[in-house]
């Protein structure tokens, strides 16, 4: 067992040395090209021709070939995934697709609004008191008149409901001018039948009142056909001529709806859908937007679409008579662009924020969150933080970073997958070997299940001896400035896990001995010291400092040397990523 562990430690040291060597040889991009000068690309002409042919070319021609083929600083160029074809507007739901789920057909108007105009068949409740008394329900006859007892006929056809009382009062007071009070009330209206046809789901004749909205009749017909019907060209016809054309986008966006008064026999015709554009990307919901004509401006499309916050650029592409078009524009530039039928408009929050948010935890003065420039570094940030001088452990600063935690989790899962693939599923040659493999498989399954439940901390070690690496901060980083401590924590396979008072000069073995020594399951070759800056180092390679944690890993409970080595390696990996000595 100890020989296997020694081989594993030697392998780790070699890997660390190789990693450090690669980091030492790395260099930043800087202002110069990262490709060597002698390997940079040349024009296609110079690559295909021989050296003699190139020498024979005129100098002017060589100068032309050396020029770049495109100005990549132009805003018309941008990141487009060639594997993603333009979105076909026909594949998207139309804007307003959910309009007829609002239950318009469930509420019929009573026709008694103030703008209603009176027509034959309507009933008017009349009461007169004072100098004369009169009470009657009057029906508007076919000529549009009501008959006032003792006065005669009065034409009210075409009079609005709001004007009815004053008109009847004037007629009565022309005969009874003194001490007469008049009250009129429109008691009932004549129902109408309206034909609904065109691109609706269920064309037919539907009943209602003259004051019912057009949506009431459309809803009775099942709504507009989403594939073929127009939301912007809906005509109301009467006697063979168009009396009104309604654009439902006015209602969907601004809540404006015309209220024509229907007559019996009117026809609502939903025209065929006009040309459309696809609007996708960083919008609240992708829709197919119908054009009122053959084209719109980018400003019109922007007003129709509901953009998410942060949208800064627009990808406009489509097929035009002169050929395919693809333009990458800022939002302001797009407002003046021309959008034609079949185009795809992809809104994008493509403007990178120039600031990041970094959080502090531990021993410090002031707020816990800071907004910093995107190129801020750890050193300048720490220099701006006030800390309690006598209570802060400067050398133990560390960073918790989400991307590091994701990498640690991915690496751990890959190691566990290799463990399962290596030791599970081998056929047994004998009965005894089969029993051993069953017990081994149970051990591996339990171990893998526990290991997958651990959560990496994402701790990034920035300490370099007595100094701190001046790395660039990232959005979401949590910088830990630990408070000074006078204790040492013992965990894992020790007899009495506990916190002990730090004593200068004591080794990890001294602390373990004072805590009762190792448990029977301990691997005494796998004693780790976890510094407060996140570094995990074997006990023999570092000194114990105040605030450290001494962690004793368990020995792999198997006699299979290769399996034990693999489990030991993963136990070490878990300890580094999670600061946990996984219990087997």
């Amino acid at each position: 067992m100890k020989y296997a562990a020694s081989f594993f430690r030697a392998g780790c040291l070699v890997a660390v040395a190789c990693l450090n060597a690669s980091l030492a040889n790395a260099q930043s991009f800087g202002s110069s090209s990262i490709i060597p000068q002698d390997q940079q690309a040349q024009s296609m002409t110079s690559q295909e021709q021989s050296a003699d042919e190139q020498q024979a070319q005129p100098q002017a021609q060589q100068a032309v070939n050396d020029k770049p083929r495109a100005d990549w600083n132009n805003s018309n160029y941008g990141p487009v995934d060639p594997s993603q074809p333009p979105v076909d507007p026909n594949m998207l739901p139309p804007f307003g697709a959910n309009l007829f789920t609002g239950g318009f057909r469930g509420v019929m108007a009573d026709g008694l609004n103030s703008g209603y105009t009176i027509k034959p068949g309507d009933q008017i409740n009349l009461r007169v008191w004072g100098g004369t008394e009169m009470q009657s329900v009057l029906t508007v006859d076919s000529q549009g008149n009501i008959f006032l007892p003792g006065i005669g006929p009065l034409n009210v056809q075409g009079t609005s409901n709001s004007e009815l009382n004053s008109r009847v009062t004037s007629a009565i007071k022309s005969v009874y001018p003194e001490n007469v009070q008049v009250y009129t009330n429109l008691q009932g209206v004549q129902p109408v039948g309206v034909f609904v046809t065109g691109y609706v789901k269920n064309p037919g004749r539907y009943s209602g009142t003259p004051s019912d909205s057009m949506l009431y009749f459309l809803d009775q017909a099942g709504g507009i056909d989403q594939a073929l019907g127009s939301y912007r060209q809906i005509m109301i016809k009467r006697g063979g001529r168009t009396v009104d054309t309604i654009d439902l986008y006015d209602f969907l966006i601004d809540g404006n709806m015309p209220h024509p008064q229907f007559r019996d026999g009117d026809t609502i015709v939903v025209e065929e859908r006009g040309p459309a554009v696809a609007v996708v990307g960083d919008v609240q919901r992708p829709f197919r937007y119908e054009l009122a004509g053959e084209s719109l401006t980018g400003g019109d499309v922007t007003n129709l679409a509901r953009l998410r916050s942060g949208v800064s650029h627009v990808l406009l592409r489509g097929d035009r008579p002169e050929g395919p078009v693809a333009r990458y524009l800022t939002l302001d530039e797009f407002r003046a662009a021309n959008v034609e039928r079949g185009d795809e408009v992809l809104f994008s929050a493509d403007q990178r924020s120039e600031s990041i948010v970094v959080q502090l935890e531990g021993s410090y003065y002031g707020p816990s969150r800071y907004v910093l420039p995107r190129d801020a570094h750890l050193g300048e940030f720490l220099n701006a933080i006030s800390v309690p001088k006598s209570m802060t452990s400067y050398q133990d600063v560390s960073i918790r970073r989400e991307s590091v935690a994701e990498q640690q989790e991915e690496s751990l899962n890959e190691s566990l997958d290799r463990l399962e693939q290596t030791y599970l599923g081998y056929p047994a040659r004998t009965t005894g070997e089969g029993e051993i493999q069953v017990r081994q498989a149970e051990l591996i399954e339990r171990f893998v299940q526990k290991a997958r439940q651990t959560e990496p901390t994402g701790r990034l070690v920035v300490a370099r001896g007595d100094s701190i690496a001046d790395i660039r901060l990232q959005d979401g980083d949590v910088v830990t400035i630990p408070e000074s401590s006078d204790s040492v924590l013992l965990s894992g396979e020790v007899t009495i896990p506990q916190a002990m008072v730090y004593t200068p000069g004591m080794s990890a073995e001294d602390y373990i001995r004072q805590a009762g020594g190792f448990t029977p399951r301990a691997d005494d070759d796998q004693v780790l010291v976890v510094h407060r800056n996140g570094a995990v180092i074997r006990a023999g390679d570092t000194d114990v400092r105040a605030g450290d944690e001494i962690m004793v890993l368990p020995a792999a409970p198997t006699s299979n040397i290769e399996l034990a080595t693999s489990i030991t390696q993963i136990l070490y990996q878990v300890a580094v990523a999670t600061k946990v000595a996984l219990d087997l």
Side-chain angles (χ1 to χ4, degrees), residues 200-222:
V200 293
K201 294 182 179 179
N202 303 306
R205 185 178 186 272
Y206 298 94
S207 62
T209 69
S211 294
D212 282 324
S213 73
M214 184 187 65
L215 295 175
Y216 172 78
F217 292 103
L218 287 175
D219 201 12
Q220 290 191 90

Side-chain angles (χ1 to χ4, degrees), residues 219-239:
D219 201 12
Q220 290 191 90
I224 297 173
D225 187 317
Q226 294 190 12
L228 301 174
S230 172
Y231 282 76
R232 310 204 69 172
Q233 290 288 326
I234 303 173
M235 296 186 297
I236 300 176
K237 293 190 173 183
R238 181 176 299 153

Side-chain angles (χ1 to χ4, degrees), residues 118-252:
I118 297 171
K119 62 182 183 62
D122 291 346
Q123 293 182 331
I124 300 172
N125 188 10
L126 172 66
R127 292 186 180 184
V128 181
W129 68 96
T132 184
E133 293 189 1
M134 192 184 308
Q135 180 172 349
S136 179
V137 177
L138 308 175
T139 301
V140 182
D141 62 25
S142 59
Q143 299 180 10
N145 297 324
I146 56 174
F147 189 84
L148 300 174
I151 299 175
L154 174 67
N155 188 277
V156 293
Q157 182 176 354
T159 303
S160 68
N161 189 17
S162 62
E163 298 171 347
L164 176 63
N165 192 76
S166 62
R167 184 172 179 81
V168 174
T169 299
S170 297
I172 293 176
K173 285 193 174 184
S174 65
V175 178
Y176 304 98
E178 300 293 336
N179 193 26
V180 173
Q181 303 294 322
V182 179
Y183 172 78
T184 60
N185 177 41
L186 188 61
Q187 181 171 297
V189 298
Q190 195 74 359
V192 295
V194 175
F195 296 95
V196 183
T197 186
Y199 292 93
V200 293
K201 294 182 179 179
N202 303 306
R205 185 178 186 272
Y206 298 94
S207 62
T209 69
S211 294
D212 282 324
S213 73
M214 184 187 65
L215 295 175
Y216 172 78
F217 292 103
L218 287 175
D219 201 12
Q220 290 191 90
I224 297 173
D225 187 317
Q226 294 190 12
L228 301 174
S230 172
Y231 282 76
R232 310 204 69 172
Q233 290 288 326
I234 303 173
M235 296 186 297
I236 300 176
K237 293 190 173 183
R238 181 176 299 153
R241 64 184 183 88
T242 301
V243 296
D244 202 355
T245 301
I246 295 177
D247 184 348
L248 286 182
Y249 277 23
D250 294 335
F251 173 71
L252 290 167

Side-chain angles (χ1 to χ4, degrees), residues 257-489:
M257 169 63 71
H259 290 284
Q261 183 166 311
F262 289 98
R263 296 182 185 178
D264 192 63
D266 283 353
T267 302
I268 298 174
V269 182
V270 177
E271 293 289 314
E272 182 181 5
R273 191 197 83 203
V277 298
V279 176
V280 295
D282 290 325
V283 293
Q284 297 298 337
R285 188 171 297 176
F287 278 126
R288 177 184 73 227
Y289 287 90
E290 185 179 350
L291 307 183
E294 287 297 317
S295 64
L296 289 174
T297 66
D300 296 331
V301 177
T302 304
N303 293 335
L304 289 173
R306 291 297 178 260
L307 309 184
R308 294 178 180 172
S309 61
V311 169
S312 59
H313 289 76
V314 183
L315 172 62
L316 172 63
R317 57 179 174 174
D319 292 323
R320 306 285 173 83
E322 61 273 15
V325 172
R327 301 179 63 195
Y328 192 69
L329 308 169
T330 65
L331 190 58
D332 290 338
E333 292 171 340
F334 173 69
R335 293 182 184 277
N338 192 43
V339 183
E340 298 185 5
R341 62 187 307 160
D343 283 353
E344 176 198 7
V345 179
L346 189 151
F347 289 95
S348 174
D350 209 15
Q351 184 70 42
R352 298 187 66 179
S353 174
E354 294 302 318
S355 60
I356 60 174
V357 178
V358 174
Q359 184 177 348
L360 272 177
E361 65 179 11
S363 177
Y364 63 93
Y365 293 123
S368 61
R369 287 179 173 83
Y370 289 81
V371 177
L372 305 175
R374 194 157 57 92
D375 60 349
H377 284 66
L378 178 61
E380 59 183 332
F381 176 57
L382 293 177
N383 289 336
I385 302 300
S386 299
V387 298
K389 184 174 182 180
S390 61
M391 300 173 57
T392 304
S393 180
Y394 302 99
Q395 73 273 23
D396 290 327
V397 172
S398 63
I399 295 177
R400 283 192 290 116
R401 181 169 288 177
E402 186 65 29
S403 60
V404 174
E406 293 174 357
Q407 293 172 356
Q408 290 175 334
E409 183 176 10
E410 181 180 357
S411 176
L412 176 59
N413 286 330
E414 289 177 354
S415 298
L416 294 172
D417 291 340
R418 286 195 300 269
L419 179 67
E420 291 180 315
Q421 294 169 4
T422 303
Y423 295 102
L424 295 181
Y426 284 144
R429 291 171 294 183
T430 64
T431 303
E433 184 177 331
E435 294 176 354
I436 294 175
Q437 288 189 0
V438 168
R439 290 194 298 270
Q440 180 176 289
E442 292 175 352
L443 167 67
I444 294 173
E445 288 176 356
R446 288 196 305 269
F447 174 68
V448 170
Q449 183 178 5
K450 284 188 176 182
R452 290 195 191 278
Q453 293 174 352
T454 59
E455 296 183 4
T457 62
R459 186 71 64 180
L460 179 63
V461 181
V462 295
R464 288 182 175 175
D466 295 332
S467 63
I468 297 175
D470 190 22
I471 66 170
R472 185 173 66 84
L473 295 171
Q474 294 184 8
D475 188 51
D477 280 352
V478 181
V479 179
T480 303
I481 307 176
E483 187 173 319
S484 299
S485 174
D486 296 323
S487 64
V488 173
L489 178 65

